[in-house]
Amino acid sequence: MDQLKEMLQNKFPAIDFDSEKNLTSSGILDSMAVVNIIAEIENLFDISVTMEYIQPKYFESVETMWEMVEELM
């Protein structure tokens, strides 16, 4: 999960990923940001994020993103 958090902090330095738990529902991450995160996750972990995972609930926090990554690995 450290690699994921580091990537997110580099891409979005203004966001406190340790404390934010409603990134998509509160509008902190918009759809374009999520698309960029998906591309980064796919490259970083050599996985393919399938359509079933392209839902806001998987991008609410670092923890939910990491759960998705683990399921796809």
Side-chain angles (χ1 to χ4, degrees):
M1 183 157 68
D2 292 336
Q3 284 180 295
L4 175 62
K5 191 183 295 186
E6 183 179 333
M7 177 272 291
L8 291 168
Q9 289 173 335
N10 287 336
K11 298 274 298 171
F12 306 95
I15 300 173
D16 181 3
F17 288 98
D18 289 321
S19 63
E20 291 293 344
K21 304 300 178 204
N22 299 303
L23 293 167
T24 53
S25 61
S26 65
I28 295 170
L29 293 178
D30 62 13
S31 59
M32 288 306 298
V34 170
V35 168
N36 286 328
I37 290 169
I38 290 169
E40 292 290 333
I41 285 173
E42 288 181 331
N43 288 331
L44 187 60
F45 298 103
D46 195 28
I47 58 175
S48 179
V49 177
T50 58
M51 289 302 292
E52 69 185 279
Y53 289 98
I54 302 176
Q55 299 179 40
K57 68 179 183 177
Y58 291 106
F59 298 91
E60 284 288 7
S61 67
V62 174
E63 292 81 11
T64 59
M65 288 183 235
W66 182 246
E67 288 172 16
M68 175 189 65
V69 169
E70 287 186 312
E71 288 177 23
L72 290 168
M73 288 178 27

